[in-house]
Amino acid sequence: MSVKIKYYGVRGSLPVSGADYSMFGGNTTCCYLEAGDTRIVVDAGTGIRILGLDLMKSDLPKTGGRMHMLFTHSHWDHIQGFPFFIPAFLPNVELQVYGETKKVPGLDGNDETWDIERILKMQQHFIYFPVGTKYMSSNKTYHDITPESRFDLGGVHVSCCALHHPNSTLAFRFDCDGKSFVFSTDVEHNDDMIERLAKFAAGADVLAYDCQYTTAEYTAGKIGWGHSTYESGIQICKKGAVKNLHMIHHDPLHHDKTLLQIENDAQKLFATAKMIPEGFEFSL
Ligand SMILES: [Zn+2]
Ligand SMILES: [Zn+2]
């Protein structure tokens, strides 16, 4: 069984628009995998709106069916498209939603527990958005996952890994019939992280990796901001014998011209490094 993968949003932090972004796109994180009749969505940044429109043109509205939604974490740029994901409003669609439960300090200083169901519901609280999740007629089931989680989704094996990022993120590794794809966004590198990700991604066909900053930008003031560089992504690929590096989570300040220059620099160190444009698709 082959896996089709398409990036619906590759911008980091905040959506952007305008002529300077027409090549690489402005929508935030959303990636879609399809293997046979298994459908997997990773993150619900603004790119998920277009995915929803594409799915509405497929058989899905007529036949209904199951869809798995995996969340790396709940920062805005990874959840804000969910209220605009039209298939979630179809009563014949079953949404299996997976995310990590987090304990965070509340506004009063006391710890609060937030699971993925609460996170999505609160995003659509009436104070923020007119349509609550209860009006999304799909049949939703919520699953708590952890960095140790390993599970199968219709023939696709999923493994998780904790990433170094404010309030932490999950990376996902998808294995299917000897092919593997690792999705690792929102991660800041350090020696331990590079070591752990090289092991997690070992032998993978593709590593999608947070390359938000150049090393010059990173060292000049972005240390501790939770993002990484293409040099770190390349280090991980070389250590873990990963075949291809997909550079994602583009900084809102990086215009098309800048991203092309960064891709050029990265390819001098690792020929299969690719700056991913929104809408890019491939098969494994
Ligand atoms: Zn992000
Ligand atoms: Zn984040």
Side-chain angles (χ1 to χ4, degrees):
M1 185 163 62
S2 73
V3 189
K4 270 197 329 189
I5 299 168
K6 183 166 179 177
Y7 296 97
Y8 278 90
V10 283
R11 189 61 55 176
S13 309
L14 194 76
V16 292
S17 69
D20 290 331
Y21 303 100
S22 61
M23 185 182 290
F24 289 97
N27 280 303
T28 64
T29 306
C30 177
C31 182
Y32 180 62
L33 291 81
E34 210 173 71
D37 55 8
T38 301
R39 303 183 185 95
I40 302 171
V41 184
V42 182
D43 283 350
T46 60
I48 200 173
R49 186 181 71 85
I50 316 286
L51 167 62
L53 295 175
D54 277 0
L55 289 169
M56 292 304 286
K57 288 183 227 150
S58 74
D59 285 345
L60 184 73
K62 218 190 305 167
T63 59
R66 174 181 296 175
M67 207 175 298
H68 303 280
M69 295 195 70
L70 276 61
F71 284 92
T72 59
H73 66 313
S74 56
H75 287 158
W76 276 340
D77 52 325
H78 300 260
I79 62 168
Q80 71 193 128
F82 186 65
F84 298 90
F85 185 51
I86 298 175
F89 290 84
L90 302 179
N92 59 354
V93 165
E94 179 190 316
L95 277 189
Q96 300 286 337
V97 184
Y98 307 76
E100 230 183 330
T101 296
K102 297 283 176 68
K103 200 175 250 189
V104 290
L107 295 177
D108 60 2
N110 294 318
D111 276 355
E112 291 177 353
T113 302
W114 289 66
D115 59 25
I116 191 64
E117 180 174 10
R118 182 174 187 209
I119 290 162
L120 293 177
K121 278 186 175 165
M122 288 303 278
Q123 174 175 235
Q124 284 171 253
H125 189 294
F126 195 55
I127 202 79
Y128 300 119
F129 195 72
V131 183
T133 51
K134 67 178 176 188
Y135 298 107
M136 300 172 101
S137 311
S138 55
N139 192 354
K140 291 178 274 306
T141 307
Y142 296 92
H143 305 268
D144 185 28
I145 52 174
T146 71
E148 285 72 44
S149 294
R150 308 282 181 265
F151 49 99
D152 275 284
L153 302 177
V156 181
H157 185 74
V158 184
S159 324
C160 304
C161 174
L163 297 181
H164 179 48
H165 188 68
N167 202 18
S168 83
T169 324
L170 289 178
F172 299 117
R173 176 179 177 128
F174 302 95
D175 284 282
C176 180
D177 290 341
K179 299 287 182 185
S180 33
F181 171 59
V182 176
F183 192 83
S184 169
T185 191
D186 294 56
V187 52
E188 181 161 355
H189 54 279
N190 55 32
D191 290 347
D192 167 65
M193 193 69 259
I194 287 172
E195 200 60 46
R196 285 197 297 112
L197 258 180
K199 266 193 201 142
F200 183 68
D205 294 279
V206 176
L207 169 69
Y209 186 76
D210 176 348
C211 297
Q212 178 146 352
Y213 304 130
T214 62
T215 294
E217 289 166 340
Y218 179 74
T219 48
K222 299 295 165 76
I223 295 172
W225 287 38
H227 299 287
S228 193
T229 62
Y230 70 79
E231 282 96 336
S232 304
I234 290 170
Q235 240 185 304
I236 294 163
C237 287
K238 287 185 173 172
K239 260 183 189 270
V242 175
K243 295 182 192 77
N244 298 279
L245 173 67
H246 283 183
M247 297 182 271
I248 56 166
H249 211 269
H250 312 321
D251 193 282
L253 288 172
H254 287 170
H255 295 165
D256 292 339
K257 251 176 34 194
T258 312
L259 291 176
L260 283 171
Q261 182 59 53
I262 295 172
E263 180 178 51
N264 205 279
D265 295 344
Q267 285 173 348
K268 285 179 196 148
L269 301 176
F270 195 65
T272 60
K274 180 169 178 53
M275 191 63 77
I276 298 300
E278 182 178 315
F280 179 73
E281 55 181 306
F282 64 104
S283 289
L284 287 177

